[in-house]
Amino acid sequence: MEYKKGANNPATFSANGTQMSVGIELFAPKRNYTAAKVDEYFPNALYLDATTKKSDNSLFAIPEFAIGHQLNERINIGLLVYGNGGMNTEYVADSAPQGTFYDGTTGVDLKQLFVSPTMSYQLNEQIRLGVSAIYVVQQFEAQGLANFAAFSQAPEALSNNGVDTSTGIGIQLGISHIINSSFSWGASYRSSVSMDKFDRYSGLFAKQGGFDLPSSIQLGTAWQFLPSHQVVFDWQKINYSEVKSIANPITNLMSAPLGAEAGAGFGWHDMSIYKLGYQWQRTEQQKIRFGASYTEQPIPSSDILFNILAPGVQEWHFTAGISHALSDAVQFNAMAFYSPSKNVTGANYLAPNQQLSISMEQSGLGVSLAWRI
């Protein structure tokens, strides 16, 4: 039972009898921003200190858990529980009047947990269908943003209000089709997830604290070109434009207050992701994998200012992994990935003669153990 396949496409979720999997990923992002020096200061502009500032908190542990059971020759059921990224920055200020936006330590922390009851059904020898209910719990906290109060419709619900929690429910559908012994393909669709509002931050996020999850679609194909060698290609699109708090551009700051329907957000564009992978069945017990993915840049150069808080600028990821059957009942999995540093530069929207640059570099390591009960 490979939990990650089921999380991407519920049609691929299957178990040999009753199986369980537990794992952890250590995620190590490096985030920073640079504010350039300026020769002239204009009144009523918000200039950032000319410096390069690195974010604290550079190691995160992301858990995963799955249990699956084969009811009969056609039906598999299970439960997947996993963290789904998020965003985190913490630019520590040396003293209270200082900080990125002159309000002390500045940053945001978003955590998301997915709980997905899953079922797959073998329609015939070639086609398997799958469905997952998605229950999402997310937590958010922001600090150091009080100096944007003049732009907010609810300044008391803008910053430094502690951790707020919201929940929501969605659905994911999938299909897997084996064409012949060499070719197969699959597709999955995850609905948008309407989340409860972050009431403590209704003066920050558009739609009075709204922070929904966007829908996504994924298509993939696999080619077994030799008995022990397989190539896979996936395309995924994430529809950030559906979520106003993510997609609204910073230019809205002058036409609508923060927290309003049209309040400024992070300006993220819809994202397409292209993934190419290779799997080698080295022995009967061992599989070795390599992969690379490319992501269209979601952050335009015009929206750098707010994305200091969420510099998700990565474009390339490279991965390697191994699966090894320790026995007929136990399998060990491990993977490592690296995403090289990427910079995006643009003007400070509230002080256009100042250039800002945001960057991130990522690396990580994950291990999991699956066994038959």
Side-chain angles (χ1 to χ4, degrees), residues 145-213:
L145 307 179
N147 282 321
F148 289 99
F151 296 99
S152 176
Q153 67 176 12
E156 73 284 355
L158 174 66
S159 182
N160 296 77
N161 286 334
V163 176
D164 202 357
T165 301
S166 73
T167 59
I169 297 176
I171 191 170
Q172 185 170 7
L173 306 173
I175 182 172
S176 177
H177 182 201
I178 298 173
I179 299 173
N180 54 41
S181 59
S182 298
F183 289 97
S184 62
W185 70 274
S188 69
Y189 169 76
R190 190 186 76 186
S191 71
S192 60
V193 181
S194 180
M195 304 294 297
D196 298 333
K197 297 182 185 299
F198 286 124
D199 293 329
R200 296 185 183 184
Y201 295 96
S202 60
L204 174 61
F205 289 134
K207 301 182 69 173
Q208 296 78 47
F211 203 92
D212 296 341
L213 273 64

Side-chain angles (χ1 to χ4, degrees), residues 30-48:
K30 297 178 181 179
R31 298 89 76 215
N32 64 70
Y33 73 88
T34 299
K37 294 180 179 179
V38 296
D39 297 324
E40 184 178 4
Y41 291 86
F42 295 100
N44 301 318
L46 178 65
Y47 290 95
L48 276 58

Side-chain angles (χ1 to χ4, degrees), residues 296-320:
E296 294 178 345
Q297 180 57 238
I299 299 176
S301 59
S302 56
D303 282 84
I304 296 297
L305 183 63
F306 275 0
N307 279 290
I308 285 174
L309 302 172
V313 295
Q314 301 312 114
E315 294 183 357
W316 285 96
H317 284 79
F318 302 96
T319 61

Side-chain angles (χ1 to χ4, degrees), residues 19 66 70 79-80 92 104 142 144 150 194 200 213 222 235 271 292 302 363:
Q19 289 183 278
Q70 184 179 19
L79 179 69
L80 309 177
V92 176
S194 180
R200 296 185 183 184
L213 273 64
W235 169 81
M271 177 190 291
S302 56
S363 59

Side-chain angles (χ1 to χ4, degrees), residues 246-359:
I246 298 177
N248 283 356
I250 196 172
T251 53
N252 287 18
L253 208 58
M254 298 304 171
S255 59
L258 290 170
E261 178 88 8
F266 294 93
W268 282 35
H269 294 164
D270 291 347
M271 177 190 291
S272 289
I273 306 168
Y274 307 89
K275 306 174 186 178
L276 181 65
Y278 162 73
Q279 177 177 279
W280 173 30
Q281 184 83 47
R282 180 176 172 271
T283 67
E284 186 177 346
Q285 293 79 27
Q286 189 178 92
K287 297 177 182 178
I288 296 176
R289 303 179 180 93
F290 300 96
S293 70
Y294 172 74
T295 302
E296 294 178 345
Q297 180 57 238
I299 299 176
S301 59
S302 56
D303 282 84
I304 296 297
L305 183 63
F306 275 0
N307 279 290
I308 285 174
L309 302 172
V313 295
Q314 301 312 114
E315 294 183 357
W316 285 96
H317 284 79
F318 302 96
T319 61
I322 185 171
S323 294
H324 188 84
L326 302 177
S327 69
D328 290 340
V330 181
Q331 178 174 291
F332 172 77
N333 306 292
M335 70 88 185
F337 73 89
Y338 175 68
S339 178
S341 180
K342 173 65 180 178
N343 300 318
V344 175
T345 299
N348 177 349
Y349 180 70
L350 295 178
N353 65 325
Q354 182 180 45
Q355 289 290 297
L356 303 177
S357 178
I358 56 176
S359 70

Side-chain angles (χ1 to χ4, degrees), residues 98-109:
Q98 299 178 5
T100 300
F101 300 124
Y102 308 102
D103 182 39
T105 294
T106 302
V108 297
D109 187 19

